[in-house]
Amino acid sequence: MLTTLATQVTTAMHPGGGGPWNDGGDAPAFWPVFPITFGLFWLAVLGTAFYLIRRRMNSSATAAASASDPLAKAQSVLAERFARGEIDEDEYLMRISTLRNGT
């Protein structure tokens, strides 16, 4: 009798049958959107982290290479002086050719 009563109550509360966790309906058609979006979000986070780490490593390697090469340092100082207007184009070209031919 108790089993019959429980079945009747369950059927009355959930007309689809099958208990409280199965209402007999299908899942909405858009359910794959959430896991795909979640996965794409984490791919974007990891991609951004990889890009920033890689960029930082490249910039520090370039700075170390230019610091160890005196010719590159001299050319950059000369280019900075030319950019600031301390020397004119003729003097810049003369000095840059001297640097290149001197070594």
Side-chain angles (χ1 to χ4, degrees):
M1 181 163 148
L2 193 56
T3 308
T4 307
L5 180 60
T7 305
Q8 288 176 354
V9 169
T10 304
T11 306
M13 292 177 64
H14 302 284
W21 293 281
N22 184 10
D23 60 358
D26 291 332
F30 60 87
W31 74 266
V33 172
F34 297 111
I36 290 171
T37 304
F38 189 69
L40 290 175
F41 168 75
W42 283 111
L43 282 175
V45 168
L46 292 174
T48 303
F50 178 76
Y51 170 75
L52 292 174
I53 290 170
R54 184 83 171 173
R55 187 173 137 192
R56 184 169 208 170
M57 289 174 62
N58 285 342
S59 66
S60 64
T62 305
S66 67
S68 65
D69 185 20
L71 181 61
K73 175 119 172 103
Q75 288 176 346
S76 68
V77 169
L78 191 59
E80 287 175 11
R81 290 186 62 200
F82 178 63
R84 285 193 300 252
E86 294 177 9
I87 58 175
D88 61 351
E89 184 179 2
D90 294 331
E91 187 174 356
Y92 172 76
L93 292 175
M94 180 185 68
R95 289 183 182 210
I96 203 80
S97 68
T98 304
L99 278 174
R100 289 183 183 155
N101 295 333
T103 56

